[in-house]
């Protein structure tokens, strides 16, 4: 009877060792320890999560500014990049027409066909041309001038459409850009004049080249154009001061800003309690910021075209705008694709149900191929065993190699990122296919008497 009272129904734990809550002392201690761990984890999560979100958010907001800063710095300070960007405009029909019209107007600023016609008629009248014929010729001076202008415009159009013009255009763009950098940095040059608060560029060399091309095309009247040196105003003194103020910080900040943005994002991922989830969010955030930048560029393009004067062709202006921003569009597409690829990689290697099903399907498919390959006599042997033993290191090496290839690609595009990601997935699949765990040795067959 005393035994029944002294022990619980299970008959194993004394009543004195049971805590008031119905738990044994060791169970109560374990529960308190787990509660302390949970509380400590909540305290750590309490400050880490908001800080991680803040760091990643700031980094994502800085990414569009970084892309624009790098693009602007390359366009302002790198003459080769600027020429590569602007030189294709020489092949655009709208730009060619605008240049041809400008050159034609410059030529006829020195060649007055109507006046030449009247002078010729007056000279012929002095030498005995009948007055009736002279008056008729004077009446034809205006239509004749229009016909000659059309002829000159056609010849100038031929010159502008030639390969020679494209070379001259690239040279002119290069010289103009070097002069612009000299003006922005405060360093003068012989081709840039600073007078009366105005910065202007000497276009004499370009006019001489155009004149020579017209004379070679048969329009000898272009010889009347003297060796002029017209000045093209670039900045007023006030505008120059503003541009120089923007140029100097651009040089200092644009190089470091991308690294600052990336560093903040990586620090946010590191601080976050869930690194993988934070990496997914960071990738999507970067992609969203690039999408926002694309929308801003589209809005700026619309505003720019809406404010054009009526004398400017909207088609030509749109072509010029699209050409100038094509590198920034390529850059934002590249960063957008990188963000999506990083987010997808972090998600599909995680523990979510979708990721686990995807991983299972991937491994099942690779296993099916391996089994059928072995059935067909394709065995990896010791190589497969070695690959299986070093699978993690080989995976990291492939990822590092893909990153190295991306770094050394000159001006990578979004398509380059997708191709690299696809090749990396194929390479990882090949690793999984080659990896073969060592076969267990068969148990020895007993030889003794049964």
């Amino acid at each position: 009877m005393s035994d029944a009272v002294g022990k619980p129904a299970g008959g194993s734990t004394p009543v004195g060792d049971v805590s008031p809550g119905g738990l044994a002392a060791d169970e109560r201690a374990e529960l308190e320890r787990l509660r302390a761990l949970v509380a400590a984890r909540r305290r750590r999560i309490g400050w880490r999560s908001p800080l991680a979100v803040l760091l990643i958010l700031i980094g994502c907001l800085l990414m569009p500014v970084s892309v624009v800063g790098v693009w602007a710095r390359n366009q302002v300070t790198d003459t080769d990049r600027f020429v590569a960007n602007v030189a294709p405009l020489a092949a655009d029909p709208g730009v060619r027409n605008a240049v041809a019209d400008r050159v034609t107007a410059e030529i006829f600023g020195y060649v007055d066909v109507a006046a030449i016609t009247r002078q010729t008629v007056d000279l012929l009248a002095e030498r005995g041309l009948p007055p009736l014929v002279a008056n008729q010729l004077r009446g034809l001076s205006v239509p004749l001038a229009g016909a000659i202008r059309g002829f000159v415009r056609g010849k100038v159009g031929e010159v502008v459409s030639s390969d020679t013009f494209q070379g001259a255009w690239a040279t002119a763009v290069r010289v103009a850009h070097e002069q612009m950098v000299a003006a922005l940095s405060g360093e003068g040059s012989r081709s840039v004049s600073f007078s009366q608060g105005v910065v202007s560029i000497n276009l004499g060399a370009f006019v001489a080249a155009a004149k020579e091309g017209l004379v070679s095309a048969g329009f000898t009247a272009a010889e009347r154009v003297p060796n002029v040196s017209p000045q093209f105003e670039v900045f007023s003194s006030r505008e120059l001061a503003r541009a120089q103020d923007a140029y100097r910080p651009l040089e200092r900040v644009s190089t470091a800003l991308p690294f600052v943005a990336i560093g903040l994002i990586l620090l946010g991922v590191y601080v976050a309690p869930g690194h993988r989830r934070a990496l997914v969010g960071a990738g999507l955030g970067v992609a969203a910021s690039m999408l926002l930048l694309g929308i801003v560029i589209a809005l700026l393009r619309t505003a720019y075209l809406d404010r054009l004067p009526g004398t400017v062709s909207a088609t030509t202006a749109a072509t010029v705008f699209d050409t100038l921003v094509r590198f920034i569009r390529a850059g934002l597409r590249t960063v957008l694709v990188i963000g999506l690829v990083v987010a997808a990689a972090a998600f599909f290697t995680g523990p979510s149900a979708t990721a686990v099903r995807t991983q299972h399907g991937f491994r099942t498919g690779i296993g099916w191929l391996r089994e059928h390959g072995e059935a067909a006599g394709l065995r990896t042997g010791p190589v497969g065993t070695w690959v299986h033993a070093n699978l993690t290191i080989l995976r990291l090496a492939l990822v590092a190699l893909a990153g190295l290839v991306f770094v050394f690609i000159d001006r990578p595009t979004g398509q380059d990122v997708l191709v690299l990601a696809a090749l990396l997935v194929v390479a990882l699949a090949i690793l999984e296919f080659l990896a073969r765990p060592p076969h267990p040795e068969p148990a020895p067959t007993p030889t003794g008497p049964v």
Side-chain angles (χ1 to χ4, degrees):
M1 183 69 178
S2 60
D3 292 340
V5 174
K7 292 183 180 181
S12 60
T13 305
V15 174
D17 293 339
V18 178
S19 63
L23 297 176
D26 56 345
E27 293 174 341
R28 171 62 63 180
E30 180 66 14
L31 178 60
E32 294 298 332
R33 186 183 70 83
L34 292 176
R35 285 177 175 174
L37 288 176
V38 170
R41 181 175 177 82
R42 286 177 177 173
R43 286 194 298 271
R44 290 196 300 269
I45 294 177
W47 66 266
R48 289 173 62 182
S49 293
L51 179 61
V53 171
L54 181 62
L55 291 172
I56 293 174
L57 180 61
I58 295 175
C60 290
L61 292 177
L62 287 179
M63 286 302 296
V65 183
S66 303
V67 172
V68 174
V70 171
W71 168 82
R73 183 179 184 277
N74 288 337
Q75 296 303 303
V76 171
T77 62
D78 193 330
T79 300
D80 291 335
R81 283 182 179 265
F82 182 81
V83 172
N85 193 13
V86 179
L89 286 174
D92 181 73
V95 175
R96 286 180 174 179
N97 289 332
V99 173
D101 291 341
R102 179 68 180 86
V103 172
T104 302
E106 186 71 22
I107 293 297
F108 278 96
Y110 295 94
V111 180
D112 190 344
V113 177
I116 294 174
T117 303
R118 287 192 299 269
Q119 293 173 3
T120 303
V121 172
D122 292 341
L123 181 61
L124 292 176
E126 291 176 359
R127 296 188 178 185
L129 185 69
L132 180 60
V133 177
N135 290 333
Q136 290 177 346
L137 288 177
R138 289 189 183 95
L140 292 174
S141 61
V142 175
L144 182 61
I148 294 177
R149 189 179 186 93
F151 170 78
V152 172
R153 175 62 177 78
K155 290 299 182 181
V156 173
E158 292 178 2
V159 173
V160 170
S161 299
S162 65
D163 295 336
T164 304
F165 169 75
Q166 295 191 20
W169 173 273
T171 302
V173 168
R174 179 176 295 276
V175 172
H177 186 269
E178 291 173 350
Q179 294 166 351
M180 180 186 69
V181 173
L184 290 175
S185 60
E187 301 174 359
S189 68
R190 290 182 301 175
S191 299
V192 181
S193 64
F194 300 83
S195 62
Q196 299 178 355
V198 174
V199 180
S200 56
I201 297 177
N202 188 340
L203 299 180
F206 185 77
V207 173
K211 172 184 172 182
E212 181 181 354
L214 288 173
V215 172
S216 301
F219 184 63
T220 56
E223 294 177 349
R224 293 175 175 266
V225 180
N227 294 325
V228 294
S229 298
Q231 300 296 317
F232 179 75
E233 181 179 328
V234 181
F235 299 111
S236 68
S237 57
R238 184 177 180 183
E239 292 170 342
L240 178 62
R242 291 178 179 176
Q244 287 176 335
D245 291 341
Y247 173 83
R248 295 186 182 102
L250 178 64
E251 270 196 312
R252 294 191 294 266
V253 174
S254 60
T255 302
L257 195 56
F259 296 100
V260 173
I262 295 173
L264 288 174
I265 292 174
L266 293 179
L267 182 60
V269 172
Y270 175 77
V271 170
H275 301 316
R276 195 186 305 274
R277 181 177 297 178
L279 190 58
V280 173
L284 293 178
V286 169
S289 69
M290 293 299 104
L291 183 61
L292 178 62
L293 176 59
I295 294 173
V296 170
I297 292 176
L299 294 176
L300 290 176
R301 182 181 187 272
T302 302
Y304 164 72
L305 296 178
D306 288 343
R307 296 180 181 179
L308 288 175
T311 56
V312 178
S313 170
T315 303
T316 302
T319 301
V320 173
F321 183 91
D322 293 338
T323 300
L324 289 176
V325 301
R326 65 191 181 102
F327 282 153
I328 191 174
R329 282 175 171 164
L332 73 87
R333 292 189 191 108
T334 301
V335 178
L336 185 148
V337 173
I338 291 175
L340 292 178
V341 168
V342 170
F347 176 78
F348 285 108
T349 56
S352 66
T354 302
V356 170
R357 285 195 297 267
T358 303
Q359 296 168 21
H360 177 72
F362 180 78
R363 292 193 179 96
T364 301
I366 295 296
W368 182 84
L369 290 175
R370 187 189 299 116
E371 291 177 1
H372 282 71
E374 291 180 352
L378 182 62
R379 294 180 175 86
T380 57
V383 174
T385 304
W386 181 84
V387 170
H388 182 270
N390 300 275
L391 192 56
T392 302
I393 297 176
L394 292 174
R395 288 171 178 166
L396 294 176
L398 283 177
V399 174
L401 179 61
L404 193 63
V405 171
F406 174 77
V407 169
F408 282 97
I409 294 178
D410 185 27
R411 300 177 188 176
T413 63
Q415 183 178 358
D416 295 330
V417 177
L418 290 176
V419 170
L420 271 177
L423 292 177
L424 178 61
V425 171
V426 172
L428 292 174
I430 293 174
L431 274 185
E432 293 289 339
F433 177 80
L434 293 176
R436 190 72 170 90
H439 293 282
E441 296 182 1
T445 304
T447 56
V450 179

